[in-house]
Amino acid sequence: MGNLFAKDTKRISESDRAVLTLKTQRRKLLTEQKRIESLIEREVEIARQLIAQKQQDRALLVLRKKKLQQGRLKDLDNWLVGVEKMLGDIEATKGTNQLYAALKQGHIALKGLQQEVTIQDVEKLMDDNAAAKDYQDELSAALNTDSSVVEEDDVLAELSALEVQEDDLPEVPRHELPKVVRPAAEVQVQTSEQKPQRLEEPIAA
């Protein structure tokens, strides 16, 4: 248990001790300031009572004491301003030191990251990407070429098959066939046969 308290005590820095001391002193100054202000108000009231009782000498003495208290109150104000300024300077310096420590830590971390990834590593990665892209382009071009060759072979095979089928068909004569002249008697007979026969009307009885 004693070791734990010893460790906690070691963690308190000199600046923390100074801040604690200044804050304690400020609290005491504020307490004294309130006491003197109350004392001044009381002395003013006493001086009024003495003046009302026609005791100007005693009232003058009380007012002189009040004047001394007002001077002391002014000193307390100046001391409080000094304490507040010192506390502000310490806090500002601590903030600056913390900022510097954070920047320093960030610089160390950044330097470590830069050592992990060098310019050579980046250049090698870019070269590898470029080589991979070139390979992909060549592969795509090769696939497209093979497809074109296959399609061309299919077309040529189909053309050959059609040519073979064309050779097997009988040749169609390209000259006009001679006109057949029929005899006039044959034409007349055919025409008479095509005429409809009239039905004879029955004779009325």
Side-chain angles (χ1 to χ4, degrees), residues 16-138:
D16 294 334
R17 292 179 183 276
V19 170
L20 182 60
T21 302
L22 287 171
K23 288 183 177 181
T24 302
Q25 188 64 30
R26 181 180 60 183
R27 184 172 62 254
K28 290 181 179 180
L29 289 174
L30 289 173
T31 303
E32 183 67 12
Q33 187 183 45
K34 291 181 180 180
R35 188 187 72 82
I36 292 176
E37 288 175 350
S38 299
L39 184 59
I40 290 173
E41 292 178 358
R42 181 184 175 188
E43 288 175 347
V44 169
E45 185 64 26
I46 292 173
R48 287 176 180 174
Q49 293 176 2
L50 291 173
I51 292 172
Q53 296 173 4
K54 304 299 181 179
Q55 297 180 13
Q56 281 79 4
D57 294 339
R58 293 184 63 183
L60 183 60
L61 180 61
V62 172
L63 291 176
R64 286 174 180 172
K65 289 174 62 178
K66 180 184 76 71
K67 193 68 174 178
L68 292 175
Q69 297 296 339
Q70 287 178 340
R72 181 170 173 77
L73 186 62
K74 185 176 181 180
D75 292 338
L76 289 174
D77 290 338
N78 292 332
W79 292 343
L80 281 171
V81 170
V83 170
E84 293 291 349
K85 184 177 183 303
M86 183 62 67
L87 286 172
D89 292 342
I90 291 174
E91 292 297 330
T93 303
K94 287 176 65 177
T96 302
N97 291 342
Q98 290 175 358
L99 177 61
Y100 172 76
L103 292 174
K104 184 177 180 181
Q105 189 67 27
H107 176 71
I108 294 173
L110 179 61
K111 190 174 181 180
L113 292 174
Q114 290 175 347
Q115 291 178 353
E116 292 178 3
V117 181
T118 63
I119 299 297
Q120 291 77 11
D121 294 334
V122 176
E123 291 178 350
K124 184 177 183 302
L125 179 61
M126 296 299 292
D127 293 339
D128 292 342
N129 289 337
K133 185 178 182 302
D134 293 340
Y135 174 77
Q136 184 64 34
D137 293 341
E138 293 178 1

